[in-house]
Amino acid sequence: MHEASLARLTVTENLDAWSAYHLGLQHMYRFNRKDNAAAAALFSHAVARDPGFARAHAGLSFVHFQTAFLRNTDDLATEIALARRHAERGVDLDPLDPFVNFTMGRTFWLQGDLDGSLVWLERSTSISPNYAQGIYARGWTEALAGRGLDARGHVDLAMQLSPLDPLYYGMLGTRAFTHMTLGEDAEAAQWAERAARSPGAHVLIAMITAAAQAMAGDEVRAAAWAANVRMRNAALTREDFFRSFPMKSEAVRARVSNALARFGF
């Protein structure tokens, strides 16, 4: 935030790679089309100024990941390939950067490869044991893999380490999902509600909340969150949801699918 504040005082054309990168981060975490495009432009500017800047390549990986993750494209294959390509370039340039390893790990989500994702996320947090976003991403991947208690420990640690994190809503959403995997529906609904009402929460968090409230038996809240999802992206379906969140447990997947189906997804 400090680096971005300094960069805002600079004329855009005069931004150096470091300043452009930090401004890009400010846009990247907002998870909407306009800001994602702005982040992509700033990371590209950083790479043009310094082709060896590994974190700028990782930023480009993140923005392409985001486009595919939120289904903001009709060409998923290209976005997934670009996310992987920029992550690989970042790893080539600086294999010991935790953010670079984090972005590589997240690209495997897009292909449903949770084991492949965990290898890179574990590497990221081994390099930097206090890296909250890496720890959170490990927790989310473990939750999708059906390891709810392991996931809960990691996401709770991430929230303690970074209580003002721009991805804090995702941490809350992961906490909700750990309860969903263990059949603790009332707790899942409470955490999901907190996640969806947090600053920056994207449309898929609202979709998680609709499912969690339906599973907890609160049809009114579930319907309200389903309407919120449709207002923000009317094209989203259950299939999109499960491509973004490739759950290993067939039982949990079936429960979530049935909950979403009740509201037309």
Side-chain angles (χ1 to χ4, degrees):
M1 291 172 66
H2 174 72
E3 293 294 333
S5 295
L6 292 177
R8 288 193 187 94
L9 302 177
T10 305
V11 177
T12 303
E13 291 76 11
N14 295 332
L15 286 173
D16 61 19
W18 185 251
S19 297
Y21 168 74
H22 281 88
L23 280 179
L25 290 181
Q26 295 285 291
H27 290 282
M28 182 185 82
Y29 289 122
R30 293 174 184 166
F31 273 74
N32 62 66
R33 292 173 188 258
K34 181 179 178 181
D35 282 292
N36 203 41
L42 286 159
F43 293 140
S44 295
H45 181 91
V47 167
R49 289 296 178 95
D50 181 0
F53 189 3
R55 287 193 183 183
H57 286 283
L60 284 170
S61 175
F62 195 110
V63 297
H64 289 292
F65 164 88
Q66 187 179 139
T67 299
F69 179 71
L70 293 179
R71 299 301 183 257
N72 286 336
T73 179
D74 293 325
D75 188 0
L76 286 175
T78 295
E79 292 300 315
I80 292 170
L82 286 169
R84 177 66 57 80
R85 185 190 309 164
H86 285 294
E88 288 173 342
R89 182 58 179 149
V91 170
D92 287 342
L93 290 166
D94 190 352
L96 296 181
D97 186 287
F99 179 55
V100 167
N101 284 271
F102 164 86
T103 55
M104 177 65 95
R106 284 169 70 96
T107 67
F108 284 83
W109 280 9
L110 300 174
Q111 298 169 316
D113 184 356
L114 300 180
D115 293 333
S117 179
L118 275 172
V119 169
W120 287 97
L121 295 173
E122 287 168 357
R123 178 177 164 82
S124 172
T125 54
S126 294
I127 293 168
S128 180
N130 293 325
Y131 182 31
Q133 289 186 5
I135 294 167
Y136 143 67
R138 278 186 68 176
W140 186 228
T141 307
E142 289 164 342
L144 292 173
R147 294 160 50 187
L149 293 178
D150 290 339
R152 189 172 301 173
H154 280 127
V155 74
D156 285 351
L157 175 59
M159 289 190 287
Q160 291 169 6
L161 287 169
S162 190
L164 300 179
D165 202 278
L167 294 179
Y168 196 80
Y169 64 84
M171 299 175 187
L172 293 169
T174 298
R175 189 60 150 82
F177 196 75
T178 67
H179 290 286
M180 292 167 72
T181 62
L182 296 170
E184 299 165 352
D185 294 340
E187 292 88 347
Q190 291 171 2
W191 284 96
E193 191 84 17
R194 284 184 61 189
R197 295 185 182 281
S198 295
H202 56 70
V203 65
L204 291 177
I205 299 293
M207 208 166 182
I208 292 172
T209 308
Q213 292 290 6
M215 291 161 67
D218 193 329
E219 299 291 313
V220 174
R221 286 183 183 271
W225 284 110
N228 179 277
V229 171
R230 289 196 185 88
M231 178 185 69
R232 295 161 72 179
N233 187 343
L236 280 177
T237 66
R238 278 177 294 163
E239 290 72 23
D240 293 324
F241 183 86
F242 291 118
R243 277 194 291 265
S244 292
F245 302 129
M247 303 171 189
K248 275 194 172 180
S249 170
E250 290 297 331
V252 175
R253 184 186 177 102
R255 293 188 69 224
V256 173
S257 181
N258 290 336
L260 291 173
R262 296 212 305 270
F263 293 91
F265 292 112

